[in-house]
Amino acid sequence: TATATLGNGNYKINANATYKFSIAPKAITFDWTEKDGLKFNDELQAPKAVAVGIVEGDSVELIVEGAQKNAGSGYIATVTGVKDNANYVIDTLKQTEMSITFSIAKGVNSFDGELTLPSTVDKMPWIGTDKPTSKWGEVIVKYYLDEACTQEVTDIENAGEGIYWVKAIVVGTDNYEELVSEAFKIELQGGLNVAIVVIGAIASIALLAGAVAVVMITDKKKKQQGDAV
């Protein structure tokens, strides 16, 4: 409502001192952005709609429905209005593209931190709590006898000393690609076979020591017998 007043006391307003009026919201259009290049990130995603024709200094957010989380194609995003701002409306006469088709590509998985292994180890790595982790999915560790990683070791617990190649792998899904580390070459020194060798060596030394003791005792008895004669 607008009200008319006079600054001159010699006059007065008999009628129409007030007048009701309204200001229509500004009709705007929008452009679609980020239509391409969306990748799975485990969150809801959709192309963005940016308002066009707003008053300088204003900020206008548009309502976009149809966001998706999983990787896929044929999704449809639609602008349904202006969010929390009554000063603007969508000009549906000029804005001919209210919806758009979009897709979400598979995400690129990654390991948490840099993967490294020493060249020499005394036990097979990454079997217990030291196993690597990844952004998505469970890490599977595989051990191989050859550099080409075609001969997998199945009985890890009984692996003896020697040269091995180790890989960390996350199987791909519909949402993210397979993740495979480089093949780490390691030398295992101290596996099950090593323990057997050590135990055998100790036993051999013990037997050898016993044999020497027997010989010494025998010689001593012979000497004593010879002295008696």
PDB file of all heavy atoms in Angstrom, residues 8 12-13 31 37 43 82 103 106 111 126-127 131 134 137 143 158 160 170 172 186-187 197 204 210-211 217 225 228:
ATOM      1  N   ASN A   8       2.140  20.755   2.661  1.00  0.00           N
ATOM      2  CA  ASN A   8       1.606  22.134   2.693  1.00  0.00           C
ATOM      3  C   ASN A   8       0.286  22.107   3.442  1.00  0.00           C
ATOM      4  O   ASN A   8      -0.670  21.472   3.012  1.00  0.00           O
ATOM      5  CB  ASN A   8       1.421  22.645   1.266  1.00  0.00           C
ATOM      6  CG  ASN A   8       1.096  24.138   1.235  1.00  0.00           C
ATOM      7  OD1 ASN A   8       0.469  24.667   2.158  1.00  0.00           O
ATOM      8  ND2 ASN A   8       1.505  24.815   0.155  1.00  0.00           N
ATOM      9  N   LYS A  12      -5.541  19.784   1.590  1.00  0.00           N
ATOM     10  CA  LYS A  12      -5.783  18.471   2.152  1.00  0.00           C
ATOM     11  C   LYS A  12      -6.247  17.527   1.040  1.00  0.00           C
ATOM     12  O   LYS A  12      -6.764  17.982   0.015  1.00  0.00           O
ATOM     13  CB  LYS A  12      -6.830  18.526   3.265  1.00  0.00           C
ATOM     14  CG  LYS A  12      -8.231  18.858   2.789  1.00  0.00           C
ATOM     15  CD  LYS A  12      -9.202  18.813   3.942  1.00  0.00           C
ATOM     16  CE  LYS A  12     -10.644  19.089   3.452  1.00  0.00           C
ATOM     17  NZ  LYS A  12     -11.612  18.977   4.551  1.00  0.00           N
ATOM     18  N   ILE A  13      -6.075  16.270   1.286  1.00  0.00           N
ATOM     19  CA  ILE A  13      -6.477  15.259   0.319  1.00  0.00           C
ATOM     20  C   ILE A  13      -7.804  14.685   0.763  1.00  0.00           C
ATOM     21  O   ILE A  13      -7.924  14.134   1.855  1.00  0.00           O
ATOM     22  CB  ILE A  13      -5.423  14.148   0.225  1.00  0.00           C
ATOM     23  CG1 ILE A  13      -4.061  14.742  -0.217  1.00  0.00           C
ATOM     24  CG2 ILE A  13      -5.855  13.059  -0.738  1.00  0.00           C
ATOM     25  CD1 ILE A  13      -2.937  13.750  -0.216  1.00  0.00           C
ATOM     26  N   ASP A  31      20.178 -22.085 -17.136  1.00  0.00           N
ATOM     27  CA  ASP A  31      21.025 -22.924 -17.983  1.00  0.00           C
ATOM     28  C   ASP A  31      21.421 -24.173 -17.210  1.00  0.00           C
ATOM     29  O   ASP A  31      21.666 -24.109 -15.996  1.00  0.00           O
ATOM     30  CB  ASP A  31      22.300 -22.171 -18.400  1.00  0.00           C
ATOM     31  CG  ASP A  31      22.024 -21.057 -19.402  1.00  0.00           C
ATOM     32  OD1 ASP A  31      21.028 -21.172 -20.145  1.00  0.00           O
ATOM     33  OD2 ASP A  31      22.812 -20.090 -19.428  1.00  0.00           O
ATOM     34  N   GLY A  37      30.165 -35.673 -17.244  1.00  0.00           N
ATOM     35  CA  GLY A  37      31.290 -35.868 -16.331  1.00  0.00           C
ATOM     36  C   GLY A  37      30.923 -36.264 -14.919  1.00  0.00           C
ATOM     37  O   GLY A  37      31.800 -36.313 -14.055  1.00  0.00           O
ATOM     38  N   GLU A  43      27.079 -40.453  -3.304  1.00  0.00           N
ATOM     39  CA  GLU A  43      26.141 -39.417  -2.878  1.00  0.00           C
ATOM     40  C   GLU A  43      25.162 -39.118  -4.013  1.00  0.00           C
ATOM     41  O   GLU A  43      25.426 -39.435  -5.174  1.00  0.00           O
ATOM     42  CB  GLU A  43      26.877 -38.134  -2.482  1.00  0.00           C
ATOM     43  CG  GLU A  43      27.820 -38.292  -1.294  1.00  0.00           C
ATOM     44  CD  GLU A  43      28.559 -37.010  -0.982  1.00  0.00           C
ATOM     45  OE1 GLU A  43      28.339 -36.008  -1.718  1.00  0.00           O
ATOM     46  OE2 GLU A  43      29.349 -36.993  -0.023  1.00  0.00           O
ATOM     47  N   VAL A  82      11.725 -22.187  -7.936  1.00  0.00           N
ATOM     48  CA  VAL A  82      12.760 -21.413  -7.252  1.00  0.00           C
ATOM     49  C   VAL A  82      12.683 -21.729  -5.761  1.00  0.00           C
ATOM     50  O   VAL A  82      11.594 -21.772  -5.177  1.00  0.00           O
ATOM     51  CB  VAL A  82      12.561 -19.904  -7.480  1.00  0.00           C
ATOM     52  CG1 VAL A  82      13.616 -19.099  -6.733  1.00  0.00           C
ATOM     53  CG2 VAL A  82      12.613 -19.584  -8.976  1.00  0.00           C
ATOM     54  N   SER A 103      23.619 -38.990 -17.077  1.00  0.00           N
ATOM     55  CA  SER A 103      24.152 -40.290 -16.665  1.00  0.00           C
ATOM     56  C   SER A 103      25.222 -40.086 -15.599  1.00  0.00           C
ATOM     57  O   SER A 103      25.769 -38.985 -15.451  1.00  0.00           O
ATOM     58  CB  SER A 103      24.729 -41.044 -17.863  1.00  0.00           C
ATOM     59  OG  SER A 103      25.798 -40.310 -18.441  1.00  0.00           O
ATOM     60  N   LYS A 106      30.901 -44.844 -13.722  1.00  0.00           N
ATOM     61  CA  LYS A 106      31.490 -45.555 -12.593  1.00  0.00           C
ATOM     62  C   LYS A 106      32.565 -44.693 -11.927  1.00  0.00           C
ATOM     63  O   LYS A 106      33.297 -43.962 -12.592  1.00  0.00           O
ATOM     64  CB  LYS A 106      32.112 -46.875 -13.042  1.00  0.00           C
ATOM     65  CG  LYS A 106      31.109 -47.960 -13.403  1.00  0.00           C
ATOM     66  CD  LYS A 106      31.821 -49.274 -13.691  1.00  0.00           C
ATOM     67  CE  LYS A 106      30.828 -50.395 -13.963  1.00  0.00           C
ATOM     68  NZ  LYS A 106      31.508 -51.694 -14.165  1.00  0.00           N
ATOM     69  N   PHE A 111      43.114 -46.722  -3.009  1.00  0.00           N
ATOM     70  CA  PHE A 111      43.538 -47.254  -1.725  1.00  0.00           C
ATOM     71  C   PHE A 111      43.700 -46.103  -0.734  1.00  0.00           C
ATOM     72  O   PHE A 111      43.992 -44.965  -1.121  1.00  0.00           O
ATOM     73  CB  PHE A 111      44.855 -48.012  -1.863  1.00  0.00           C
ATOM     74  CG  PHE A 111      44.750 -49.278  -2.663  1.00  0.00           C
ATOM     75  CD1 PHE A 111      45.311 -49.365  -3.924  1.00  0.00           C
ATOM     76  CD2 PHE A 111      44.087 -50.382  -2.150  1.00  0.00           C
ATOM     77  CE1 PHE A 111      45.214 -50.529  -4.668  1.00  0.00           C
ATOM     78  CE2 PHE A 111      43.974 -51.557  -2.891  1.00  0.00           C
ATOM     79  CZ  PHE A 111      44.540 -51.622  -4.151  1.00  0.00           C
ATOM     80  N   TRP A 126      50.236 -58.344   4.985  1.00  0.00           N
ATOM     81  CA  TRP A 126      48.840 -58.014   4.680  1.00  0.00           C
ATOM     82  C   TRP A 126      47.886 -59.183   4.917  1.00  0.00           C
ATOM     83  O   TRP A 126      46.885 -59.334   4.235  1.00  0.00           O
ATOM     84  CB  TRP A 126      48.706 -57.540   3.242  1.00  0.00           C
ATOM     85  CG  TRP A 126      49.435 -56.268   2.949  1.00  0.00           C
ATOM     86  CD1 TRP A 126      49.961 -55.404   3.845  1.00  0.00           C
ATOM     87  CD2 TRP A 126      49.712 -55.711   1.656  1.00  0.00           C
ATOM     88  NE1 TRP A 126      50.561 -54.335   3.211  1.00  0.00           N
ATOM     89  CE2 TRP A 126      50.418 -54.503   1.854  1.00  0.00           C
ATOM     90  CE3 TRP A 126      49.429 -56.110   0.357  1.00  0.00           C
ATOM     91  CZ2 TRP A 126      50.840 -53.698   0.811  1.00  0.00           C
ATOM     92  CZ3 TRP A 126      49.851 -55.309  -0.685  1.00  0.00           C
ATOM     93  CH2 TRP A 126      50.551 -54.113  -0.467  1.00  0.00           C
ATOM     94  N   ILE A 127      48.194 -60.027   5.897  1.00  0.00           N
ATOM     95  CA  ILE A 127      47.303 -61.135   6.223  1.00  0.00           C
ATOM     96  C   ILE A 127      46.314 -60.739   7.314  1.00  0.00           C
ATOM     97  O   ILE A 127      45.142 -61.096   7.270  1.00  0.00           O
ATOM     98  CB  ILE A 127      48.111 -62.375   6.670  1.00  0.00           C
ATOM     99  CG1 ILE A 127      48.884 -62.952   5.479  1.00  0.00           C
ATOM    100  CG2 ILE A 127      47.196 -63.444   7.256  1.00  0.00           C
ATOM    101  CD1 ILE A 127      49.725 -64.162   5.813  1.00  0.00           C
ATOM    102  N   LYS A 131      46.330 -55.351   6.688  1.00  0.00           N
ATOM    103  CA  LYS A 131      45.813 -55.401   5.314  1.00  0.00           C
ATOM    104  C   LYS A 131      45.368 -54.020   4.861  1.00  0.00           C
ATOM    105  O   LYS A 131      44.731 -53.288   5.627  1.00  0.00           O
ATOM    106  CB  LYS A 131      44.650 -56.391   5.225  1.00  0.00           C
ATOM    107  CG  LYS A 131      44.168 -56.625   3.804  1.00  0.00           C
ATOM    108  CD  LYS A 131      43.151 -57.755   3.733  1.00  0.00           C
ATOM    109  CE  LYS A 131      41.809 -57.352   4.302  1.00  0.00           C
ATOM    110  NZ  LYS A 131      40.762 -58.354   4.021  1.00  0.00           N
ATOM    111  N   SER A 134      40.472 -49.486   1.304  1.00  0.00           N
ATOM    112  CA  SER A 134      40.204 -48.691   0.111  1.00  0.00           C
ATOM    113  C   SER A 134      38.991 -47.788   0.334  1.00  0.00           C
ATOM    114  O   SER A 134      38.259 -47.938   1.312  1.00  0.00           O
ATOM    115  CB  SER A 134      39.962 -49.602  -1.103  1.00  0.00           C
ATOM    116  OG  SER A 134      38.858 -50.458  -0.857  1.00  0.00           O
ATOM    117  N   GLY A 137      34.616 -50.806  -1.009  1.00  0.00           N
ATOM    118  CA  GLY A 137      34.814 -52.241  -1.162  1.00  0.00           C
ATOM    119  C   GLY A 137      35.873 -52.813  -0.234  1.00  0.00           C
ATOM    120  O   GLY A 137      36.590 -52.098   0.471  1.00  0.00           O
ATOM    121  N   TYR A 143      48.750 -63.682  -3.406  1.00  0.00           N
ATOM    122  CA  TYR A 143      50.177 -63.960  -3.415  1.00  0.00           C
ATOM    123  C   TYR A 143      50.486 -64.884  -4.594  1.00  0.00           C
ATOM    124  O   TYR A 143      49.750 -65.840  -4.852  1.00  0.00           O
ATOM    125  CB  TYR A 143      50.601 -64.618  -2.098  1.00  0.00           C
ATOM    126  CG  TYR A 143      50.147 -63.841  -0.884  1.00  0.00           C
ATOM    127  CD1 TYR A 143      48.859 -64.015  -0.373  1.00  0.00           C
ATOM    128  CD2 TYR A 143      50.986 -62.921  -0.263  1.00  0.00           C
ATOM    129  CE1 TYR A 143      48.426 -63.301   0.731  1.00  0.00           C
ATOM    130  CE2 TYR A 143      50.560 -62.197   0.844  1.00  0.00           C
ATOM    131  CZ  TYR A 143      49.279 -62.389   1.332  1.00  0.00           C
ATOM    132  OH  TYR A 143      48.846 -61.666   2.418  1.00  0.00           O
ATOM    133  N   ASN A 158      51.197 -71.950   5.214  1.00  0.00           N
ATOM    134  CA  ASN A 158      52.314 -72.888   5.154  1.00  0.00           C
ATOM    135  C   ASN A 158      53.356 -72.506   4.103  1.00  0.00           C
ATOM    136  O   ASN A 158      54.148 -73.350   3.685  1.00  0.00           O
ATOM    137  CB  ASN A 158      51.789 -74.296   4.858  1.00  0.00           C
ATOM    138  CG  ASN A 158      50.947 -74.833   6.000  1.00  0.00           C
ATOM    139  OD1 ASN A 158      51.255 -74.615   7.168  1.00  0.00           O
ATOM    140  ND2 ASN A 158      49.864 -75.526   5.675  1.00  0.00           N
ATOM    141  N   GLY A 160      56.632 -71.373   2.547  1.00  0.00           N
ATOM    142  CA  GLY A 160      58.014 -71.392   3.003  1.00  0.00           C
ATOM    143  C   GLY A 160      58.780 -70.201   2.477  1.00  0.00           C
ATOM    144  O   GLY A 160      58.260 -69.371   1.733  1.00  0.00           O
ATOM    145  N   VAL A 170      40.669 -54.871  -5.318  1.00  0.00           N
ATOM    146  CA  VAL A 170      39.270 -54.642  -4.955  1.00  0.00           C
ATOM    147  C   VAL A 170      38.436 -54.949  -6.195  1.00  0.00           C
ATOM    148  O   VAL A 170      38.615 -54.328  -7.247  1.00  0.00           O
ATOM    149  CB  VAL A 170      39.009 -53.192  -4.491  1.00  0.00           C
ATOM    150  CG1 VAL A 170      37.534 -53.009  -4.141  1.00  0.00           C
ATOM    151  CG2 VAL A 170      39.884 -52.847  -3.298  1.00  0.00           C
ATOM    152  N   GLY A 172      35.657 -54.878  -8.891  1.00  0.00           N
ATOM    153  CA  GLY A 172      34.781 -53.819  -9.368  1.00  0.00           C
ATOM    154  C   GLY A 172      33.311 -54.176  -9.221  1.00  0.00           C
ATOM    155  O   GLY A 172      32.938 -55.343  -9.141  1.00  0.00           O
ATOM    156  N   ILE A 186      58.664 -59.608  -3.011  1.00  0.00           N
ATOM    157  CA  ILE A 186      59.200 -59.743  -1.663  1.00  0.00           C
ATOM    158  C   ILE A 186      59.974 -61.044  -1.543  1.00  0.00           C
ATOM    159  O   ILE A 186      59.742 -61.987  -2.300  1.00  0.00           O
ATOM    160  CB  ILE A 186      58.079 -59.723  -0.591  1.00  0.00           C
ATOM    161  CG1 ILE A 186      57.123 -60.901  -0.805  1.00  0.00           C
ATOM    162  CG2 ILE A 186      57.322 -58.404  -0.592  1.00  0.00           C
ATOM    163  CD1 ILE A 186      56.151 -61.119   0.334  1.00  0.00           C
ATOM    164  N   GLU A 187      60.891 -61.071  -0.604  1.00  0.00           N
ATOM    165  CA  GLU A 187      61.599 -62.310  -0.271  1.00  0.00           C
ATOM    166  C   GLU A 187      61.221 -62.689   1.149  1.00  0.00           C
ATOM    167  O   GLU A 187      61.459 -61.921   2.092  1.00  0.00           O
ATOM    168  CB  GLU A 187      63.110 -62.124  -0.380  1.00  0.00           C
ATOM    169  CG  GLU A 187      63.873 -63.408  -0.066  1.00  0.00           C
ATOM    170  CD  GLU A 187      65.374 -63.270  -0.226  1.00  0.00           C
ATOM    171  OE1 GLU A 187      65.817 -62.158  -0.576  1.00  0.00           O
ATOM    172  OE2 GLU A 187      66.094 -64.263   0.017  1.00  0.00           O
ATOM    173  N   VAL A 197      63.770 -76.236   9.218  1.00  0.00           N
ATOM    174  CA  VAL A 197      65.213 -76.337   9.005  1.00  0.00           C
ATOM    175  C   VAL A 197      65.965 -76.015  10.285  1.00  0.00           C
ATOM    176  O   VAL A 197      66.915 -76.688  10.670  1.00  0.00           O
ATOM    177  CB  VAL A 197      65.650 -75.407   7.859  1.00  0.00           C
ATOM    178  CG1 VAL A 197      67.165 -75.339   7.791  1.00  0.00           C
ATOM    179  CG2 VAL A 197      65.079 -75.886   6.546  1.00  0.00           C
ATOM    180  N   SER A 204      70.306 -81.897  14.987  1.00  0.00           N
ATOM    181  CA  SER A 204      71.530 -82.480  14.445  1.00  0.00           C
ATOM    182  C   SER A 204      72.721 -82.124  15.310  1.00  0.00           C
ATOM    183  O   SER A 204      73.597 -82.948  15.593  1.00  0.00           O
ATOM    184  CB  SER A 204      71.765 -81.975  13.011  1.00  0.00           C
ATOM    185  OG  SER A 204      70.699 -82.378  12.183  1.00  0.00           O
ATOM    186  N   GLY A 210      76.184 -85.296  21.355  1.00  0.00           N
ATOM    187  CA  GLY A 210      76.070 -86.550  22.089  1.00  0.00           C
ATOM    188  C   GLY A 210      77.076 -87.578  21.603  1.00  0.00           C
ATOM    189  O   GLY A 210      77.693 -88.294  22.394  1.00  0.00           O
ATOM    190  N   ALA A 211      77.251 -87.628  20.310  1.00  0.00           N
ATOM    191  CA  ALA A 211      78.195 -88.575  19.738  1.00  0.00           C
ATOM    192  C   ALA A 211      79.611 -88.264  20.183  1.00  0.00           C
ATOM    193  O   ALA A 211      80.391 -89.156  20.534  1.00  0.00           O
ATOM    194  CB  ALA A 211      78.097 -88.548  18.208  1.00  0.00           C
ATOM    195  N   ILE A 217      84.043 -90.307  26.316  1.00  0.00           N
ATOM    196  CA  ILE A 217      83.905 -91.207  27.467  1.00  0.00           C
ATOM    197  C   ILE A 217      84.558 -92.549  27.164  1.00  0.00           C
ATOM    198  O   ILE A 217      85.280 -93.121  27.982  1.00  0.00           O
ATOM    199  CB  ILE A 217      82.425 -91.396  27.829  1.00  0.00           C
ATOM    200  CG1 ILE A 217      81.850 -90.087  28.388  1.00  0.00           C
ATOM    201  CG2 ILE A 217      82.247 -92.514  28.855  1.00  0.00           C
ATOM    202  CD1 ILE A 217      80.357 -90.111  28.587  1.00  0.00           C
ATOM    203  N   GLN A 225      91.781 -98.143  31.453  1.00  0.00           N
ATOM    204  CA  GLN A 225      92.042 -99.579  31.417  1.00  0.00           C
ATOM    205  C   GLN A 225      93.494 -99.846  31.046  1.00  0.00           C
ATOM    206  O   GLN A 225      94.156-100.720  31.592  1.00  0.00           O
ATOM    207  CB  GLN A 225      91.107-100.265  30.429  1.00  0.00           C
ATOM    208  CG  GLN A 225      89.648-100.274  30.899  1.00  0.00           C
ATOM    209  CD  GLN A 225      88.721-100.836  29.847  1.00  0.00           C
ATOM    210  OE1 GLN A 225      89.165-101.141  28.742  1.00  0.00           O
ATOM    211  NE2 GLN A 225      87.448-100.975  30.193  1.00  0.00           N
ATOM    212  N   ALA A 228      95.751 -99.232  33.967  1.00  0.00           N
ATOM    213  CA  ALA A 228      95.660-100.282  34.988  1.00  0.00           C
ATOM    214  C   ALA A 228      96.513-101.449  34.639  1.00  0.00           C
ATOM    215  O   ALA A 228      97.132-102.089  35.480  1.00  0.00           O
ATOM    216  CB  ALA A 228      94.192-100.734  35.158  1.00  0.00           C
TER     217      ALA A 228
END
